[in-house]
Amino acid sequence: MNNTNVKIFGERNTSTNAIGQVLKNNCKVTLLPSTARDLDKLFTMKRTTLEKIGISQGTIEKWIDSYFKNASPLFTWKHAATTFSDIGAFRNCHTVFCVRDPASWLLGLYKRPYHILCDKEQSFEDFLKRPWHPVARDRIGSEALAPTDLYNLKIRSYLSLISQLKARGYSYSIINFEEFAIDQDNSTSSLRKSLESRSSSFKPLETSTKDKNKNSNYYKIYYGKEMWRQEISGKSMDAIRKSIDWEACKGIGYSIGQSLRKAV
């Protein structure tokens, strides 16, 4: 049996890299390109050169955008909105959507604001009010929007594509970030049943793809005990409650009561 093509979508900080690595470790898959690095083996060297000669971050982001201009849906940036006029390209691949609790995701974006085009706010409360300037490869236009609206737009786009995939009988999976952090094996078991296994025993990812000082046990404890809730004030939780599209969240397995409950 040939490797199954897999296309992964997910906002920043939703374990897209880690989930991809777990699939490669355990299944016979071909991960379709989803970053500029995937499309150009010399990308890292080129970017380092641009940074060394003082090219601005905004200009570098526009250069990265050019890799995805007019790209096929299968070669679209992994963090992009998934609104496509024709989804026929997904016929022969398994599409994976990586999702995360909205409050947890917003805190993650505050800590790791990838592709931010302005200075980072000092407090999480101020960050929630600060306009986020999307890059072109986000595929949501150029107008600045609140981080909560960035989340809402991406989740709605996933639900739209999922509805289309269902209608055509194309295969897909939704992977919950928190469940993956707590139990990589169980959270991906249903997905892996759709693919051909490499071995009978599960091979977890032990080390973080972003922080080599953190391992799988750290994430099990941090997300298993929901320690992240202690970092969000009641005022910030209230702002999130008012701004998130909770109806859309239901479609990916999150409810307002679950997301905004107090830390224990």
Side-chain angles (χ1 to χ4, degrees):
M1 181 177 178
N2 294 328
N3 284 10
T4 300
N5 288 332
V6 172
K7 179 63 180 179
I8 297 177
F9 289 110
E11 246 300 345
R12 302 152 178 87
N13 304 304
T14 57
S15 286
T16 53
N17 287 338
I19 290 168
Q21 189 60 55
V22 165
L23 291 181
K24 287 200 297 183
N25 288 349
N26 294 279
C27 305
K28 295 181 179 180
V29 297
T30 297
L31 299 183
L32 295 172
S34 61
T35 67
R37 188 177 296 105
D38 295 336
L39 297 169
D40 181 357
K41 293 180 180 179
L42 299 178
F43 169 78
T44 300
M45 181 191 72
K46 292 176 181 177
R47 178 169 186 164
T48 300
T49 300
L50 292 175
E51 291 172 342
K52 283 182 176 179
I53 63 176
I55 301 300
S56 70
Q57 183 62 32
T59 299
I60 290 176
E61 293 295 347
K62 290 179 180 178
W63 166 67
I64 299 173
D65 288 336
S66 68
Y67 280 92
F68 300 96
K69 188 176 182 180
N70 302 319
S72 155
L74 297 184
F75 287 10
T76 300
W77 192 41
K78 64 181 179 179
H79 302 316
T82 57
T83 47
F84 303 107
S85 58
D86 183 0
I87 69 160
F90 295 101
R91 179 185 298 106
N92 296 317
C93 81
H94 189 95
T95 307
V96 177
F97 299 90
C98 304
V99 299
R100 183 171 178 175
D101 176 282
S104 171
W105 179 79
L106 287 161
L107 182 64
L109 187 65
Y110 165 67
K111 291 180 176 180
R112 292 179 180 270
Y114 294 111
H115 323 109
I116 193 170
L117 297 178
C118 59
D119 292 336
K120 178 183 173 181
E121 291 291 349
Q122 292 298 309
S123 73
F124 179 56
E125 187 176 321
D126 288 338
F127 173 76
L128 292 175
K129 304 172 188 174
R130 180 71 175 264
W132 181 277
H133 296 269
V135 291
R137 59 192 184 278
D138 273 304
R139 303 182 71 252
I140 57 174
S142 59
E143 186 175 344
L145 70 172
T148 49
D149 288 329
L150 176 65
Y151 182 91
N152 290 337
L153 284 172
K154 295 295 179 69
I155 296 306
R156 290 172 193 148
S157 78
Y158 299 164
L159 292 175
S160 176
L161 179 55
I162 287 169
S163 177
Q164 293 173 289
L165 295 173
K166 277 185 181 179
R168 295 202 185 185
Y170 298 169
S171 64
Y172 73 92
S173 297
I174 299 175
I175 301 297
N176 175 298
F177 170 90
E178 292 79 16
E179 291 177 0
F180 177 78
I182 296 167
D183 188 340
Q184 296 179 25
D185 188 357
N186 189 57
S187 64
T188 61
S189 62
S190 179
L191 164 57
R192 288 183 283 111
K193 287 177 183 177
S194 301
L195 309 169
E196 185 177 0
S197 297
R198 287 191 180 279
S199 66
S200 57
S201 59
F202 179 74
K203 297 179 181 178
L205 179 66
E206 298 292 354
T207 305
S208 169
T209 60
K210 296 292 177 62
D211 187 342
K212 300 305 180 185
N213 293 317
K214 295 177 181 177
N215 58 25
S216 59
N217 192 53
Y218 167 85
Y219 292 105
K220 286 179 183 178
I221 295 171
Y222 184 78
Y223 289 102
K225 294 185 176 181
E226 299 186 330
M227 295 169 68
W228 57 270
R229 294 187 186 280
Q230 300 169 13
E231 303 176 50
I232 303 179
S233 68
K235 190 172 182 179
S236 293
M237 278 295 196
D238 189 53
I240 294 169
R241 178 182 63 80
K242 294 175 180 177
S243 303
I244 288 296
D245 182 345
W246 295 105
E247 191 60 35
C249 284
K250 288 181 184 178
I252 57 169
Y254 295 103
S255 68
I256 186 170
Q258 172 198 43
S259 180
L260 301 186
R261 63 176 177 266
K262 294 181 180 180
V264 294

